[in-house]
Amino acid sequence: MTKIVTLGEILVEIVAEDQGDGFRRPVRLVGPFPSGAPAIFIDQVAKLGQPCGIVSCVGDDDFGWVNLARLGDDGVDVRAVEISPSFPTGSAFVRYRDNGERDFVYNIKNSACGQVRWTEAVSELLEECGHLHVSGPSLFSARIIEMTTRAIEVVKGKGGTVSFDPNIRKEVVRDPEVRTALTAMLASCDTFLPSGDELTLLTTAGTPEEAISEILGLGVTAIVVKNGAEGATYYDASGPVSAPGYRVEEVDPTGAGDCFDATFVTCRLQGRSVQESLAYANASGARAVAIKGPMEGTSTLAELDDVRSPGEGGPKRRLTSLISRGRRGDGHKPASVTSVCSAHPTVVGAAMRQAAVDGTVVLIEATCNQVNHQGGYTGLTPAAFRDQVYGIADRAGLPRRQVVLGGDHLGPNPWRHLPAEAALAEAEAMVAAYVSAGYEKIHLDTSMGCQGEPVHLADEVTAERAARLAVVAQAAAGVTDTSLRYVIGTEVPVPGGSVEEIERLEVTRPEAVAATLEAHREAFAAAGAEAAFDAVIAVVAQPGVEFDDRNVVVYQPELAAELSRALTGMPGLVFEAHSTDYQPAGSLVRLVADGFAILKVGPGLTFALREALYALDEMATALTPDWSERSLVKVMEKEMLDHPGYWQPYYRGTPDQQRLLRHFSYSDRIRYYWAAPGPQEAVRDLLAHLSGTRIPAPLISQFLPTLYSRVTSGELDPTPQELVLAAVGDVLSVYADACRPGLPKKPAKSAGPTLEMP
Ligand code: ATP
Ligand code: MG
């Protein structure tokens, strides 16, 4: 097997835990992490089982030893790494800025790696070497440029090959000495591995196409252009080959390019095809960005295989890969997921149509009160609710594998009038029922006190109870099912919404999140549920958004800035925001950008449904005046007065105010009434009545004005079913746009569901 060697800096990276600018004030740091582009490269080569070594120099200090130990353990030949008695190992302090850029404090040139010399060991190592890799930033001194040039001569002299990653910014290229060195490397390499616009940096050509022919003209046999999350494209004399990137949660971009290079070069030397090598290299880059720490994300072949085909049918790790907290400003957009928290079949159907059109998955969640092993207030067990949702998916033409189910606030809440032990036993049975029925996203909420306990329990007690439920969930999932994901934390009102009018909204304190997380880590470990803790993807936090029956509190990013920054210290985690209903589109976009990657919405969707139905009711009256006798509004009013349990305790005010709230409140408690027989029949009646007539466009303009232009342009059929689905779909679109910025929109016409009745 060909031995791969590289030459250059070995250093440690020390990272600020909080996002922000620079290091002019004390900040909390984490590290030392083994680092240095050549070191990351060669560690990745070693992990793929290829013989390899590095030429470098470290200090006689712990920063040096931490690197030598890591590289040695992973299988890198380190005999040509000299240990300097008088210079310290290089270091880089890194701090992420809010916009995704990074501030650095380097000690490289004047550290041990600047002292690298051509020793006996270097000659020996290069004697065995068949491929040399060069990284642009390693060429930081005349002596290193000279050593690299000599190494290339040695390797090429024996018929070996050379790869080169410029890895360099425009400003650096202006330095004539560096430019000369880089240009010389380009001319002497076989494989050139630039990233994005580095392709044209060393050519006279201005366009990528011209640059490619110019570089191939120099004798370079292969060019691989890395394009971040998009993947990469390979060029040689016979034309381009592209391979898409893998969707992952980007938590730390450092090292992606080096892992990519190492994997591509190794796979090619191992005789794999260009296509397969690109796929493995993309998987390697993807894994590198998904793991915090520069060298922590190097991968074995098995780990790369897992990225390439994650499990049967694709549900595995699906949630994790849906959510990504983009750190780099441009080109690396954050992605998130909408959680549809509604059991109304029309709402669920509209969400499924959206997913079918966008080609995404749809996340549908039920709460502990709504659906549980005893039936909940809907009378549905988790399995029955699942089947109902699957039925809607089937009718909407959405493959079932594109449906992700979740359980919300799972814990003792429905049984909190019982003593804690009894309530927890029910909670365990409920969690087991959810997991056995295939729900993949489990929100554990055990913060509420049971009989004789305080309303809110201490973090430790909450965590201990959550761990207990996690143990049950893990057992129900079985050892082979790795798709289960947990959400913890409860900085939100109880399921069903807050009773009080909002007066003051407390944004979650970062310390509270840290404490919740730490308490859960400890409790899960004590319960032997470490695997469940590793599967926690999100913490519920209050970003400062809420609504009550008559107010909506709109997101104020500056109030959540500190909370948002706290995510930096929580690798692999995002926030889940509840009650995002009625937020303006811009606020949703900003929430996603700030790390609130799971956006829950429920009442806002049934509110839009009710609006559309009421609008149809008005149209029916306009068309047939005696319709007012059968009016839907009247039926709903009667239903709510006959059964006041779902609104009376919640709506304060004069009888007139209560009447208005019954129909039009943001809390939308009318949603509990749609499933009753009277309202069901009334809705069916209304739709049937209007289906017989063609609704004149001016009526749509009058009563559903936001849909009017789509009707007149022919995009939307003015049938009552389509109008209702479009009204709900418009709310979902706002979420889809916030969660998947730049998602290519397919034409909106699809064989959608009919208006599903509860
Ligand atoms: P570096 O910051 O290490 O120099 P680079 O700029 O050289 O990185 P990129 O183009 O950012 O290189 O990334 C290299 C490869 O890593 C990409 O071609 C891709 O395969 C993978 N990659 C990078 N970012 C992502 C991401 N967000 N999601 C998935 N894959 C990614
Ligand atoms: Mg790079």
Side-chain angles (χ1 to χ4, degrees):
M1 287 213 276
T2 311
K3 188 158 187 165
I4 302 176
V5 171
T6 190
L7 188 154
E9 68 280 13
I10 290 178
L11 42 121
V12 290
E13 190 168 309
I14 294 165
V15 190
E17 287 193 0
D18 296 332
Q19 256 166 254
D21 293 338
F23 292 96
R24 297 194 176 193
R25 221 164 275 117
V27 288
R28 268 180 317 192
L29 300 164
V30 46
F33 293 108
S35 191
I40 297 167
F41 172 92
I42 212 68
D43 189 69
Q44 175 57 81
V45 172
K47 282 211 174 166
L48 296 173
Q50 193 75 10
C52 60
I54 184 167
V55 177
S56 188
C57 182
V58 295
D60 185 7
D61 50 32
D62 284 350
F63 288 176
W65 291 113
V66 75
N67 272 293
L68 287 177
R70 169 69 64 86
L71 295 173
D73 285 351
D74 286 345
V76 179
D77 183 340
V78 292
R79 78 185 115 144
V81 180
E82 203 178 2
I83 298 174
S84 162
S86 42
F87 285 84
T89 304
S91 60
F93 288 76
V94 188
R95 185 157 193 209
Y96 286 90
R97 292 203 200 132
D98 287 342
N99 64 6
E101 287 170 8
R102 291 171 275 180
D103 278 330
F104 290 97
V105 175
Y106 286 120
N107 169 28
I108 297 177
K109 273 193 190 174
N110 299 314
S111 76
C113 64
Q115 304 303 309
V116 65
R117 297 180 303 155
W118 194 286
T119 59
E120 192 83 353
V122 174
S123 296
E124 263 175 48
L125 184 66
L126 287 173
E127 236 0 88
E128 297 166 14
C129 167
H131 181 93
L132 187 79
H133 178 76
V134 180
S135 173
S138 304
L139 306 170
F140 57 75
S141 71
R143 137 205 231 148
I144 294 174
I145 293 172
E146 195 194 306
M147 262 183 85
T148 307
T149 312
R150 185 169 158 197
I152 292 176
E153 274 165 21
V154 172
V155 173
K156 291 208 121 181
K158 302 188 298 146
T161 48
V162 173
S163 53
F164 171 50
D165 181 346
N167 223 330
I168 207 118
R169 280 162 298 122
K170 258 195 206 85
E171 309 83 74
V172 185
V173 180
R174 292 207 193 100
D175 178 332
E177 238 173 83
V178 174
R179 193 183 171 95
T180 310
L182 292 170
T183 312
M185 294 304 149
L186 177 60
S188 50
C189 76
D190 303 278
T191 305
F192 180 51
L193 299 148
S195 163
D197 54 14
E198 290 168 358
L199 176 62
T200 50
L201 279 187
L202 300 172
T203 58
T204 54
T207 70
E209 295 74 23
E210 287 165 6
I212 284 160
S213 44
E214 184 177 328
I215 295 166
L216 292 176
L218 293 173
V220 174
T221 47
I223 304 168
V224 187
V225 182
K226 290 165 274 173
N227 291 315
E230 309 292 312
T233 304
Y234 169 96
Y235 302 87
D236 65 11
S238 59
V241 182
S242 284
Y246 295 93
R247 218 175 227 195
V248 290
E249 174 189 359
E250 180 178 309
V251 296
D252 182 356
T254 309
D258 308 309
C259 288
F260 179 102
D261 296 347
T263 304
F264 184 80
V265 166
T266 305
C267 285
R268 289 296 285 152
L269 287 172
Q270 290 176 351
R272 292 178 205 275
S273 70
V274 167
Q275 190 74 59
E276 192 178 23
S277 301
L278 281 177
Y280 273 123
N282 280 329
S284 186
R287 229 177 142 268
V289 301
I291 296 172
K292 197 179 172 102
M295 199 189 284
E296 310 308 303
T298 53
S299 311
T300 62
L301 199 66
E303 284 164 338
L304 297 182
D305 279 330
D306 201 41
V307 175
R308 289 187 60 193
S309 49
E312 250 295 294
K316 310 285 178 238
R317 270 170 229 92
R318 197 156 57 158
L319 274 172
T320 324
S321 57
L322 267 181
I323 303 164
S324 114
R325 195 171 78 237
R327 276 268 185 68
R328 294 200 259 190
D330 45 37
H332 289 76
K333 299 213 176 73
S336 73
V337 63
T338 310
S339 162
V340 175
C341 306
S342 174
H344 197 293
T346 302
V347 167
V348 173
M352 294 195 165
R353 168 191 281 208
Q354 173 110 51
V357 167
D358 293 347
T360 57
V361 303
V362 64
L363 171 60
I364 310 282
E365 301 210 56
T367 68
C368 57
N369 291 327
Q370 190 189 345
V371 168
N372 61 48
H373 61 298
Q374 297 172 333
Y377 70 72
T378 57
L380 297 173
T381 61
F385 181 72
R386 172 202 64 203
D387 292 341
Q388 191 182 78
V389 170
Y390 279 171
I392 299 170
D394 294 346
R395 289 191 292 282
L398 182 74
R400 290 182 178 194
R401 69 185 142 74
Q402 272 170 257
V403 179
V404 179
L405 292 167
D408 213 8
H409 295 290
L410 302 190
N413 188 54
W415 305 281
R416 65 182 189 278
H417 56 281
L418 300 175
E421 234 356 90
L424 279 167
E426 295 292 355
E428 286 181 348
M430 171 173 64
V431 166
Y434 268 95
V435 175
S436 314
Y439 289 61
E440 292 171 50
K441 178 175 177 283
I442 300 294
H443 172 211
L444 298 173
D445 180 359
T446 50
S447 60
M448 69 292 299
C450 298
Q451 196 188 83
E453 295 182 328
V455 181
H456 289 292
L457 300 174
D459 266 346
E460 289 66 32
V461 184
T462 302
E464 194 191 305
R465 292 182 182 181
R468 218 176 122 167
L469 298 183
V471 168
V472 172
Q474 291 293 104
V479 281
T480 53
D481 187 350
T482 56
S483 61
L484 205 54
R485 291 291 179 268
Y486 298 91
V487 175
I488 58 170
T490 51
E491 286 281 321
V492 283
V494 292
S498 45
V499 182
E500 309 297 322
E501 198 175 317
I502 318 165
E503 277 155 10
R504 179 171 67 95
L505 198 54
E506 296 258 9
V507 173
T508 304
R509 299 288 315 147
E511 307 86 75
V513 176
T516 298
L517 206 57
E518 199 41 45
H520 281 73
R521 186 197 312 280
E522 281 169 19
F524 278 49
E530 288 90 348
F533 189 79
D534 288 342
V536 172
I537 52 168
V539 181
V540 176
Q542 173 52 275
V545 302
E546 189 52 274
F547 58 91
D548 63 14
D549 48 12
R550 40 195 115 180
N551 306 291
V552 175
V553 182
V554 172
Y555 184 48
Q556 289 178 267
E558 56 293 354
L559 298 185
E562 219 183 312
L563 176 61
S564 171
R565 275 197 295 276
L567 273 181
T568 321
M570 297 162 54
L573 291 177
V574 298
F575 287 129
E576 173 170 301
H578 289 217
S579 309
T580 68
D581 312 61
Y582 312 107
Q583 292 293 313
S587 299
L588 295 178
V589 171
R590 187 59 203 256
L591 277 165
V592 170
D594 289 350
F596 296 88
I598 304 174
L599 300 178
K600 309 208 105 190
V601 58
L605 298 171
T606 35
F607 182 93
L609 171 88
R610 195 266 313 143
E611 262 182 350
L613 289 172
Y614 276 21
L616 292 178
D617 201 36
E618 294 281 355
M619 294 183 207
T621 306
L623 286 165
T624 348
D626 64 357
W627 178 262
S628 60
E629 298 305 308
R630 295 193 274 159
S631 150
L632 177 64
V633 178
K634 273 192 183 151
V635 173
M636 295 311 288
E637 175 72 350
K638 180 170 185 317
E639 185 71 27
M640 290 189 283
L641 289 176
D642 289 351
H643 307 278
Y646 286 120
W647 65 265
Q648 208 164 41
Y650 302 89
Y651 294 156
R652 313 282 157 91
T654 64
D656 256 348
Q657 287 171 336
Q658 285 183 318
R659 178 186 47 76
L660 204 65
L661 288 170
R662 276 196 295 279
H663 297 272
F664 302 104
S665 104
Y666 286 123
S667 320
D668 194 53
R669 302 203 62 88
I670 193 175
R671 71 184 185 278
Y672 294 98
Y673 294 88
W674 296 115
Q680 277 207 47
E681 201 191 309
V683 171
R684 216 176 290 127
D685 224 26
L686 172 64
L687 298 177
H689 181 72
L690 285 174
S691 296
T693 31
R694 193 166 174 82
I695 302 172
L699 284 188
I700 292 166
S701 175
Q702 174 70 52
F703 298 109
L704 287 172
T706 56
L707 303 182
Y708 174 71
S709 66
R710 270 173 280 170
V711 168
T712 51
S713 70
E715 204 182 310
L716 179 64
D717 282 339
T719 64
Q721 279 85 354
E722 286 300 319
L723 293 172
V724 172
L725 284 168
V728 178
D730 280 356
V731 179
L732 288 163
S733 293
V734 176
Y735 278 85
D737 290 345
C739 289
R740 286 275 174 273
L743 186 83
K745 286 266 178 303
K746 289 190 209 143
K749 268 279 199 232
S750 85
T754 54
L755 193 71
E756 296 275 355
M757 293 300 296

